Amino acid sequence: MYEKGLKGVIAAETRISYIDGQLGRLVYRGYDIQKLAANYHFEEVAYLLWYGHFPNKEQLFILKEELKKNRWLSDDLKSIISLLPPTMDLMSVIRTAVSAEGGYGEYQFPPTISQAVKLTALIPSIIAFRKRKLEGRAEVPPRNDLDHIENYLYMLTGDIPTAAHVHALEAYMILTLEHGMNASTFSARVTISSESDIVSAVTSAIGTMKGPLHGGAPSGVLELLDEISTVQDAAKVIRDKLIRGEKLMGFGHRVYKTHDPRAIALKEKLIKLGGQDKWLDLAMEVEESAITLLEEFKPGRALYTNVEFYAAAIMKAIQLEPILFTPTFTASRIVGWTAHILEQASDNVIYRPQSKYVGSFF
């Protein structure tokens, strides 16, 4: 059997997540994503993905303490990041820094949850340290009285973020922790299947996420929101774009043939924050106008909001620049990658697909 790009080919059994593109359903460990985003925090859902069940109070406390303990970059890692060329993109910096972290000799096969937690804790610190370094600003050290998401925003800006911004970013990061056997997750599972170490597997995944077909920033959505906020007429801007035959960024998804469940969950979270941020309110107004007009211009196509639409609104609201979108996506997806790495290692067979020779014989 040959399928270009392995599309539709089942390569592993998993208990981590389930995607139903026809019904618009995403499940982590048996729990629908809407329930998780509405009722749980990042650390609780990460624990669920790693361990297969929710933590009790003591287990949650231990996980939070482990994340806090591992936030601090070593002097060696700071030196490595500082020596990288200023022209190096942020995803390449994360990839290089994570790879360098593997040089300390503590990451051996088989991978452990403690290793997964450490890498999850380090990535936001790598992002924030590099970002401020490039801007010529002093490092903002982590604060151990702040939880994972709040501390990430704090390290980027040096200011305690508002509750609305923390809740919005946390919802987004919960919704992007995991998404089945996507390209970067497959890369991670392939690497660990050779009995390499968890750092090498995560580095493979980061390299895959770096590609624009997988983790590209929703710049088109940001441009749309900017344009609409200027003219104060969402329907007019959207109608003009559709008349000109332009693609409306942030609508439609190649997996989900109906509503993207992550977009629904994110919208529900943002409704609760209504009136607390103009960009989040604008996004909900734009969605209503766009769906109505898409049905008018493209009847029967079922083009609904995807998670990138609301992700862009959140990034705009919390003033994260576009260059931070894919790195922030990476800071959440590290949990899903490591959950898959652990699962692969627990019942391992090395990946060894075949190729179909189409060359000549002489």
Side-chain angles (χ1 to χ4, degrees):
M1 176 180 173
Y2 167 63
E3 290 292 339
K4 193 171 184 179
L6 300 180
K7 287 181 170 58
V9 176
I10 296 172
E13 292 183 331
T14 184
R15 290 181 171 86
I16 299 170
S17 68
Y18 170 72
I19 303 167
D20 188 328
Q22 297 301 319
L23 296 179
R25 190 181 185 201
L26 174 60
V27 170
Y28 293 174
R29 298 282 191 185
Y31 295 90
D32 279 306
I33 196 67
Q34 286 93 333
K35 179 178 180 180
L36 297 175
N39 300 299
Y40 294 90
H41 292 291
F42 177 93
E43 293 89 344
E44 294 171 298
V45 184
Y47 191 101
L48 172 68
L49 287 172
W50 284 323
Y51 287 92
H53 60 85
F54 284 114
N56 59 33
K57 286 184 179 179
E58 181 182 358
Q59 291 165 335
L60 180 59
F61 175 80
I62 291 171
L63 174 60
K64 286 185 175 184
E65 290 303 300
E66 196 173 353
L67 283 166
K68 291 172 183 178
K69 179 184 71 176
N70 286 299
R71 287 173 179 169
W72 300 82
L73 299 179
S74 67
D75 290 339
D76 286 345
L77 205 51
K78 288 180 186 178
S79 295
I80 290 168
I81 295 170
S82 299
L83 289 170
L84 295 174
T87 53
M88 181 180 279
D89 65 272
L90 196 43
M91 286 299 292
S92 295
V93 170
I94 298 168
R95 180 196 61 209
T96 303
V98 169
S99 181
E101 168 64 20
Y104 292 108
E106 61 185 275
Y107 299 94
Q108 304 297 324
F109 188 90
T112 66
I113 294 177
S114 291
Q115 293 171 350
V117 172
K118 183 169 186 179
L119 293 174
T120 300
L122 277 177
I123 286 181
S125 299
I126 292 168
I127 296 168
F129 180 82
R130 175 65 172 188
K131 180 73 164 52
R132 293 185 68 87
K133 189 80 175 176
L134 287 178
E135 293 169 345
R137 296 192 291 170
E139 173 195 8
V140 175
R143 274 180 50 165
N144 284 345
D145 60 327
L146 303 179
D147 284 341
H148 190 71
I149 306 301
E150 189 176 15
N151 181 68
Y152 175 44
L153 289 172
Y154 168 72
M155 289 190 299
L156 285 169
T157 65
D159 299 318
I160 299 295
T162 65
H165 288 175
V166 173
H167 291 323
L169 183 60
E170 183 170 50
Y172 164 72
M173 291 184 74
I174 287 172
L175 292 163
T176 53
L177 286 173
E178 160 62 10
H179 204 242
M181 189 70 89
N182 53 78
S184 56
T185 297
F186 183 58
S187 294
R189 291 190 74 133
V190 169
T191 300
I192 205 67
S193 78
S194 71
E195 296 194 357
S196 188
D197 57 273
I198 191 172
V199 170
S200 296
V202 168
T203 302
S204 295
I206 294 169
T208 306
M209 175 72 87
K210 182 176 178 287
L213 293 184
H214 187 14
S219 56
V221 180
L222 295 172
E223 290 166 7
L224 176 66
L225 293 175
D226 275 335
E227 186 175 351
I228 290 171
S229 73
T230 302
V231 301
Q232 291 297 314
D233 189 345
K236 181 181 185 306
V237 172
I238 294 166
R239 181 178 290 278
D240 289 346
K241 285 182 175 296
L242 292 173
I243 289 172
R244 293 193 297 267
E246 295 179 20
K247 184 178 179 181
L248 207 56
M249 302 303 292
F251 294 83
H253 193 276
R254 42 182 193 273
V255 173
Y256 297 109
K257 306 308 177 187
T258 180
H259 292 276
D260 183 336
R262 300 166 300 172
I264 294 173
L266 211 45
K267 181 179 179 180
E268 289 174 355
K269 190 75 171 182
L270 298 183
I271 286 172
K272 295 178 182 177
L273 303 173
Q276 296 187 45
D277 188 279
K278 69 171 187 176
W279 288 106
L280 303 183
D281 293 343
L282 176 64
M284 286 185 274
E285 178 189 339
V286 170
E287 179 192 35
E288 186 176 338
S289 297
I291 290 176
T292 300
L293 289 166
L294 281 167
E295 181 58 32
E296 176 187 334
F297 279 80
K298 302 177 186 291
R301 289 281 303 278
L303 295 171
Y304 299 106
T305 322
N306 60 42
V307 72
E308 285 194 352
F309 177 82
Y310 279 115
I314 287 171
M315 296 299 173
K316 189 80 174 174
I318 61 183
Q319 299 177 357
L320 293 190
E321 296 137 80
I323 62 165
L324 287 170
F325 181 82
T326 307
T328 301
F329 187 5
T330 301
S332 64
R333 187 56 62 83
I334 178 71
V335 175
W337 290 336
T338 51
H340 277 273
I341 288 166
L342 292 161
E343 184 178 65
Q344 178 68 36
S346 70
D347 184 24
N348 189 46
V349 174
I350 190 170
Y351 280 91
R352 185 63 176 87
Q354 294 182 335
S355 59
K356 180 182 178 182
Y357 179 69
V358 294
S360 303
F361 291 97
F362 300 99

